Amino acid sequence: MMKMFVDRLLLLSLMLVVLALLATSAATLWGEALGGSTLMLHMTAGGALVVGMPLVALWFLRRGVIRQAANAMLRCGYWLTILTATATIITVFLCMLPLPSTDQMNELMELHGYAGFAMVPAVALFSLAVVRSRRMKLTRSATPG
Amino acid sequence: MPVIWMIYAATLTAVLAADLKAEDRYRSDSDARYLHHINLYDVNNRKIQPDSTTPYSPMNTCGRCHDYDSIAHGWHFNAFEPDSVAGRAGEPWIWTDPKTGTQLPLSYRSDWKKLYRPSEAGISSWEMTLQFGGRIPGGNMGIGQARQQATKRKVTGQPVAGKTAVATAQSDAGVVDAAAVEPEPAVVSPRWPFTGKLEIDCMVCHAVSGDYDFGERRLHISQENFAWAPTAALRLGVIQGRASSIKDDADPDDDATQKKIPQVTYDASRFGADGSVFMDLVRKPSSNACYQCHSNRTVTADGIEPRWVHDQDVHLRAGMDCVDCHRNGIDHHIVRGFPGEDHPSGAAVETLSCRGCHLGAEQGQEDSITLRPGRLGSPKPLHVGLPPLHFEKMSCTACHGGPIPKAEAAGIMTSLAHGLGEKGHRTGEELPRLTAPVYLPGDDGKVGPHRAMWPAFWGELKDGKVTPLAPERVYDATRRALRVRKDFRDEVLNAKLSSSELKELLGEQRAKLDDEWSAEEQSQVDIATSEKGRQQFNQKVYAALTAIEDEFNVDQAVYVSSGFVYGKGSDEDTVSKIEVDDSKATGVIAWPMAHQVRPAGWSLGATGCIECHSDDGKIFSSTVSAIGPGPDQGQPVTMASLQGVDPDQRLQWNEMFQGRKSFKFLIAGSIFILLVTLFVGIGALAARLGGKAG
């Protein structure tokens, strides 16, 4: 019961954070730059992702999503989420270091955008898979025999 | 395009057709310097001989081979043409009169907002020439009516007969074809026939450094010897006489008037055996020529900062000259070098701006060599660790240009406004009071350093708007009321206490010992001086406003300074502040600045984010106050508020940047865990694939 609650809590938090990131960065889709309070919100949500993503990764890893028994959709959603989140965080982290030049930063920001937007369907897939696997489990446990 | 300009253009076309065509002109077409052993001609196209007494005319001398009319529409010369391409706002002409506490920003350029048109303030082009002629290379407003005369003469193909420039101007008066009349000036001066025209003087810029005496030029312009200034500045001879000594209503044909017309005594040694004169000139003007009108000095509480504490512009240190970037063709449309500049020639000038030169044009740089970065060997800046957002929000000059920002914007003096380059005593307090750097968003929305000022003038308040009144007439009208000999502020607001006032304040014995006053006594004296100044201001300004209302026949005269509007109070000898919603009169006038450019190590933010993103980050926290000759100065406002930055949000950003270093460790830890997770996944996948293969 507790595990299910944590599953739901983490998943809900992840979805909310990703939705906030999507909403605050949507303007970049039509070429506008982030700034002011929008950027501030984006960065705050980004901070939450940085803190929360390792928890999500480790928790669901422990919950056995990579076990063969887990369904393919769940595995796929999980790994895509981890992969895109890692890429999103790494690209922004590199920009924070006094290493990349302006041009390189522009490229990193572009990659950050691609990875970030790719994370949206990945998280959606993962969430859907978790919900589906839960329902299947419940159905099985409720079926006599 | 207004009809009058179309007619003018058609007239000019006819002139050019009758004159030399561009392809008919002789050209050297070499990079080598062409030696100019040339004949000089006067305004009537007569060759100057050693015994001539008339000044040489640059238009008739240089214009024989060079396309004077094209040049006359170039950047430095087209300020008089309201329809010319103005581009980004530049420094206005600031009509300054310390006796009446006036600093009125003017411009003929219609695109430059919040500036008054000279005709709007009842100022003729002749007055503008007298006031600012020493800081323009001639032409535009300096030729006033004479421009029409030149056009007329060329149309008819007949040189205008006459003895002197006076006669030339006079003979044309009243016979000018209406078609040739320019939209400006609305106010016509009767003095053009005596002063002659201030033609474009090519040697202002093209003389070799040291060969052109700008001091002589300014002196003769101040003496109203407009037509004689080019001859005087080259020291081709001695000029005797002053056109300023001739009264407005004098008859130019009268012998008495003729005797007062300045005469030239040429230095015969300047003439060769063939009667030619060697004009020592260069194609590319030296930076020294530019400095005559484009120098600045910073003023702090301690006065004018010495030159040695400031570094030269990094580009000049690298061996460049102003004209390496600010270049032009025969049309003299000098590249101004701001981002997004639209050059009238149609030539691509993007890579002559800071951004274009160092970073390349924003589009198509991979296709065309001429749009790539690195022009003239410029280094490509890495801006390591600087988020690209900064390039969308700020101009290059925000970090690299202008005086280094301090807690308060400093005072600034410029050549155009303060006559730098002339011999004189300056304290830094002289009008006009300018301030910089003021970090404001430019036309492109990017924040950059600006110079700023607040207008101060006498005007008429009508329908909630203040219209400036002609400064010279204001001076005449208020002379008796103000009784200022040199400086409005020193003599009205900061007038010293008389010995009897000091005795009354401090006692007979202490009053005399002004170098031994205690801090308390000094404070008492300061307060009393301030009160006296305020009282004098009220009395004198009340009287001056009354005099102006009588002289100009206006209902309500006002004095504007530092964003405040002063009108007559309800009681005699009282002045009250009036709330007026007229940002043109009471708001800040600002124009972007670029030089001196500082290198990377001396740029803002070179030491890290918190140089700006902290509570004392100067680009946001530095303050500026409305300053002017009046008794009240504005409250200090931060650059952040001028930029429209929300103070709470700025505080949040600053806090965020304080924790940035720790956040880097947090994010590194997060990445580590995610990478480990990914490796676990890769390991599991590899094991699975291995198991299947087995």
Side-chain angles (χ1 to χ4, degrees):
Chain A
M1 199 62 182
M2 183 65 181
K3 283 179 183 173
M4 271 178 62
F5 173 73
V6 176
D7 279 358
R8 284 175 184 172
L9 182 70
L10 283 177
L11 214 55
L12 186 69
S13 305
L14 180 65
M15 283 196 296
L16 285 175
V17 165
V18 170
L19 276 175
L21 288 168
L22 177 67
T24 50
S25 62
T28 60
L29 288 172
W30 43 92
E32 282 181 27
L34 289 190
S37 51
T38 316
L39 181 60
M40 173 89 71
L41 282 171
H42 188 79
M43 287 173 73
T44 308
L49 185 79
V50 165
V51 174
M53 205 56 222
L55 291 175
V56 171
L58 292 177
W59 177 261
F60 284 99
L61 191 68
R62 202 167 164 270
R63 296 274 283 140
V65 287
I66 59 168
R67 280 203 299 264
Q68 208 154 7
N71 70 56
M73 190 177 164
L74 185 64
R75 284 206 308 269
C76 188
Y78 174 79
W79 287 117
L80 281 175
T81 301
I82 301 296
L83 193 68
T84 52
T86 308
T88 309
I89 296 171
I90 284 180
T91 46
V92 87
F93 177 65
L94 289 175
C95 282
M96 291 172 77
L97 301 177
L99 298 172
S101 66
T102 309
D103 289 346
Q104 288 165 335
M105 273 197 193
N106 274 322
E107 284 164 18
L108 282 168
M109 277 296 108
E110 205 165 323
L111 289 174
H112 176 75
Y114 291 138
F117 285 119
M119 195 168 65
V120 177
V123 168
L125 182 70
F126 180 46
S127 307
L128 194 69
V130 169
V131 172
R132 267 190 65 185
S133 74
R134 185 70 51 218
R135 277 196 190 143
M136 280 170 70
K137 230 176 209 177
L138 285 171
T139 313
R140 273 187 207 143
S141 60
T143 308
Chain B
M1 183 187 278
V3 174
I4 200 154
W5 274 102
M6 292 174 72
I7 296 166
Y8 175 66
T11 312
L12 204 62
T13 309
V15 167
L16 292 173
D19 224 343
L20 269 179
K21 288 178 186 167
E23 58 268 27
D24 293 336
R25 294 177 191 280
Y26 289 114
R27 301 154 57 98
S28 81
D29 289 327
S30 164
D31 291 340
R33 187 175 162 206
Y34 184 81
L35 291 185
H36 285 71
H37 289 277
I38 56 172
N39 294 324
L40 306 182
Y41 294 87
D42 70 8
V43 73
N44 295 320
N45 251 334
R46 291 180 309 202
K47 185 180 169 185
I48 302 275
Q49 308 286 353
D51 58 351
S52 298
T53 58
T54 50
Y56 98 92
S57 155
M59 185 172 79
N60 287 341
T61 301
C62 308
R64 279 187 136 65
C65 298
H66 301 283
D67 188 353
Y68 189 94
D69 271 310
S70 290
I71 294 165
H73 291 80
W75 173 249
H76 282 113
F77 318 106
N78 65 10
F80 190 54
E81 297 165 7
D83 290 340
S84 62
V85 177
R88 187 172 84 168
E91 184 172 354
W93 302 112
I94 306 170
W95 186 286
T96 306
D97 182 4
K99 290 177 189 166
T100 55
T102 299
Q103 50 179 48
L104 178 63
L106 303 165
S107 178
Y108 290 106
R109 298 189 188 278
S110 51
D111 291 356
W112 292 2
K113 306 298 177 203
K114 289 181 77 174
L115 300 174
Y116 292 100
R117 311 290 151 236
S119 55
E120 203 179 340
I123 301 171
S124 68
S125 56
W126 185 88
E127 287 174 307
M128 288 290 284
T129 305
L130 181 63
Q131 186 89 349
F132 303 110
R135 301 287 162 182
I136 58 169
N140 67 68
M141 63 194 179
I143 56 175
Q145 291 168 296
R147 175 65 176 272
Q148 303 152 14
Q149 293 152 14
T151 307
K152 179 76 180 173
R153 180 166 66 245
K154 286 185 176 181
V155 171
T156 57
Q158 294 292 319
V160 176
K163 288 184 257 183
T164 61
V166 169
T168 307
Q170 179 67 15
S171 65
D172 273 353
V175 297
V176 177
D177 187 343
V181 176
E182 295 182 338
E184 203 64 44
V187 188
V188 179
S189 169
R191 297 204 61 76
W192 284 115
F194 310 121
T195 61
K197 56 188 176 179
L198 190 65
E199 292 176 359
I200 293 171
D201 186 355
C202 310
M203 297 299 276
V204 164
C205 300
H206 291 284
V208 294
S209 187
D211 207 43
Y212 193 92
D213 191 337
F214 285 87
E216 278 293 295
R217 175 179 171 80
R218 291 175 199 128
L219 174 72
H220 281 277
I221 291 169
S222 71
Q223 294 174 348
E224 301 183 12
N225 298 345
F226 296 168
W228 290 264
T231 305
L234 277 177
R235 291 189 172 271
L236 292 172
V238 177
I239 317 292
Q240 285 158 326
R242 297 174 178 197
S244 59
S245 66
I246 306 169
K247 290 184 177 169
D248 286 359
D249 56 358
D251 178 0
D253 291 331
D254 189 74
D255 282 346
T257 308
Q258 284 296 325
K259 279 180 188 168
K260 289 183 181 175
I261 297 293
Q263 302 282 312
V264 185
T265 307
Y266 280 97
D267 176 358
S269 68
R270 301 291 295 263
F271 290 79
D274 58 354
S276 68
V277 172
F278 176 53
M279 302 287 259
D280 200 0
L281 57 86
V282 285
R283 186 177 291 115
K284 280 176 67 178
S286 69
S287 295
N288 188 60
C290 309
Y291 293 154
Q292 295 292 338
C293 301
H294 299 286
S295 292
N296 305 293
R297 300 299 299 278
T298 313
V299 182
T300 63
D302 299 325
I304 303 170
E305 283 198 324
R307 252 193 305 269
W308 68 271
V309 302
H310 289 281
D311 292 345
Q312 214 176 9
D313 188 287
V314 68
H315 298 96
L316 298 176
R317 287 301 306 156
M320 293 174 74
D321 283 315
C322 305
V323 293
D324 287 331
C325 297
H326 301 291
R327 51 177 80 171
N328 61 273
I330 188 64
D331 58 12
H332 281 60
H333 284 302
I334 291 159
V335 173
R336 296 179 63 205
F338 60 86
E341 180 174 6
D342 189 12
H343 198 260
S345 70
V349 295
E350 201 169 347
T351 51
L352 289 173
S353 68
C354 346
R355 189 179 183 130
C357 192
H358 287 280
L359 297 170
E362 286 186 51
Q363 290 175 343
Q365 52 181 301
E366 67 284 353
D367 299 330
S368 168
I369 291 175
T370 57
L371 294 175
R372 289 178 193 163
R375 192 166 190 175
L376 299 172
S378 62
K380 187 168 184 182
L382 294 176
H383 290 122
V384 163
L386 185 71
L389 174 73
H390 289 78
F391 304 103
E392 287 155 22
K393 301 276 183 192
M394 297 156 72
S395 67
C396 304
T397 51
C399 303
H400 291 278
I404 294 167
K406 296 181 179 162
E408 292 171 21
I412 201 116
M413 300 181 88
T414 72
S415 293
L416 291 180
H418 298 93
L420 303 184
E422 291 172 32
K423 188 170 66 181
H425 298 285
R426 298 182 184 86
T427 62
E429 295 283 311
E430 289 83 3
L431 297 184
R433 301 295 301 276
L434 308 182
T435 185
V438 179
Y439 292 95
L440 294 170
D443 294 339
D444 56 1
K446 292 181 182 177
V447 171
H450 287 66
R451 294 194 188 103
M453 66 166 291
W454 279 261
F457 60 92
W458 301 80
E460 178 194 12
L461 178 61
K462 195 175 180 183
D463 301 329
K465 297 284 172 203
V466 185
T467 309
L469 298 168
E472 288 296 297
R473 279 184 66 199
V474 164
Y475 170 69
D476 289 337
T478 60
R479 200 164 46 181
R480 282 190 177 180
L482 293 176
R483 285 190 201 157
V484 171
R485 270 192 282 177
K486 281 186 179 174
D487 192 286
F488 178 78
R489 282 171 313 152
D490 287 349
E491 295 166 50
V492 175
L493 289 167
N494 302 326
K496 284 185 178 173
L497 298 179
S498 65
S499 55
S500 60
E501 287 167 328
L502 280 172
K503 278 178 195 169
E504 197 180 321
L505 188 70
L506 303 173
E508 192 162 347
Q509 283 189 324
R510 298 296 295 170
K512 292 176 187 170
L513 306 171
D514 59 347
D515 53 348
E516 291 178 18
W517 287 340
S518 64
E520 192 186 342
E521 285 170 330
Q522 185 62 56
S523 170
Q524 278 180 288
V525 171
D526 290 344
I527 292 168
T529 305
S530 172
E531 283 172 1
K532 183 184 176 184
R534 190 78 202 202
Q535 198 179 358
Q536 286 202 130
F537 177 82
N538 287 351
Q539 286 171 354
K540 293 193 171 191
V541 169
Y542 182 92
L545 293 173
T546 308
I548 287 172
E549 283 168 5
D550 291 344
E551 166 69 21
F552 288 86
N553 196 24
V554 294
D555 288 337
Q556 189 173 16
V558 289
Y559 176 60
V560 180
S561 174
S562 314
F564 298 101
V565 179
Y566 302 91
K568 280 177 11 182
S570 48
D571 298 324
E572 196 169 332
D573 290 344
T574 60
V575 166
S576 61
K577 284 184 203 164
I578 305 169
E579 287 293 324
V580 175
D581 183 21
D582 182 357
S583 65
K584 195 170 167 180
T586 60
V588 61
I589 306 294
W591 58 99
M593 62 191 298
H595 300 289
Q596 312 288 7
V597 175
R598 301 192 301 274
W602 274 46
S603 62
L604 289 186
T607 60
C609 310
I610 56 169
E611 197 174 321
C612 295
H613 294 291
S614 61
D615 291 346
D616 61 351
K618 299 291 181 290
I619 197 166
F620 297 118
S621 70
S622 178
T623 60
V624 62
S625 311
I627 48 171
D632 302 290
Q633 309 301 313
Q635 290 296 313
V637 289
T638 63
M639 303 296 166
S641 62
L642 292 173
Q643 293 161 25
V645 174
D646 177 23
D648 292 336
Q649 198 180 81
R650 188 177 150 240
L651 198 68
Q652 285 172 342
W653 276 112
N654 292 347
E655 282 168 1
M656 197 179 263
F657 275 96
Q658 293 295 333
R660 188 177 157 95
K661 216 171 221 175
S662 322
F663 187 67
K664 282 184 193 172
F665 287 104
L666 185 71
I667 198 170
S670 174
I671 290 168
F672 176 75
I673 293 169
L674 291 171
L675 286 175
V676 167
T677 310
L678 278 172
F679 281 125
V680 168
I682 292 166
L685 182 68
R688 196 171 299 161
L689 292 174
K692 275 185 184 172

